[in-house]
Amino acid sequence: MQDLLAASMDSPDVTPASADADAGDVRLAQRGDGEALARLIRRHQVAVARQMWRFTRDPRRHAELVQDVFVNAWRSLDGYRGRGPFLHWLRKLAVRTGYAFWRERDRLRPETPWDETLAETVAAGPAEGDAAARAGDVVHALLDRLPARDRVVLVLLHLDGCSVAEAAERLGWSRVMVKVQAWRARRKLETILRTEE
Amino acid sequence: MNNLPPQTEAWFRRARQETGPVPPDVTPGVLRRIRDGAASARRTGWTAPLRWWPAAVLAGATAAMAVAGIMAWAAFSQESIYTWAPDLIVWRCL
């Protein structure tokens, strides 16, 4: 845990100045200061929006999810003890909010039919001119075939570039569980691709 | 198996660079939602309904069973409610 905290303080998205500003605003927001809360939201909404784009490609739902994260953050603000950067605490909430969104969607939706053109696209690999956004769309459609539990672990490890320890921290799972779940998810992905090819 | 399927690796590598769209400022929406709903919930401490509803159901079920038990006892004992109710009250309160 100490390693994780030390590493988190060194991450490029948290500077000492922003950490100080966050600490002050969090204290004020915990006492009910709406202006301090607004400053926190404005400071971190781009990072949260970037994170939530992994969970949906629908712009309207995306904006709602970003809002959900900050509403959840406000509800849980008293539980933030300042042991790590506020942004990292927020990212943890964002991942859990997105994961809950996927689980709820999995419960309600019928199974996604396999798109033949997607299989061909994946097999062909990205073209030279393909932008990151297009690659994001393809990966999102591919991961859409997996249950929420598998998707979330692959997104954290292979899209957000988290280490196993960071993924475990964000999900509230043990490291062993993250490793096992990731192994299962990758195997499922391979099976899907082999079956559909 | 610590690696992604080979045909997906390049897609993931490129998708990692994606930043996504920047949505319009969500601050007004968040503050409105907090003001409308969550504010009252936080004031009363009822922020997580799932924490209290099992206790409420259990309390309701216990009360219903107690009432049903008393009524059944009254029915089978062939006594008038005016006979046993004062006794019960005296027994509970004194």
Side-chain angles (χ1 to χ4, degrees), chain B residues 36-94:
Chain B
D36 289 353
S40 60
R42 195 179 200 220
R43 260 200 310 277
T44 53
W46 291 60
T47 52
L50 285 179
R51 284 183 202 154
W52 57 262
W53 75 258
V57 168
L58 193 64
T62 307
M65 282 171 67
V67 169
I70 289 171
M71 289 179 75
W73 173 79
F76 283 105
S77 66
Q78 302 290 316
E79 286 189 57
S80 162
I81 191 169
Y82 300 107
T83 309
W84 60 264
D87 290 346
L88 187 68
I89 291 164
V90 167
W91 174 67
R92 290 297 299 159
C93 302
L94 298 181

Side-chain angles (χ1 to χ4, degrees), chain A residues 113-124 134 138 141 196, chain B residues 11:
Chain A
W114 180 252
D115 179 2
E116 284 300 328
T117 56
L118 179 65
E120 290 164 15
T121 309
V122 171
R134 163 149 165 75
V138 171
E196 303 296 342
Chain B
W11 286 111

Side-chain angles (χ1 to χ4, degrees), chain A residues 45 53 57 68 127 159, chain B residues 14 16 18 25-26 33 42:
Chain A
Q45 62 181 338
W53 190 241
R57 315 299 281 186
D68 288 348
L159 286 180
Chain B
R14 195 161 295 184
R16 211 175 293 158
E18 188 190 18
D25 186 10
V26 297
R33 279 176 60 180
R42 195 179 200 220

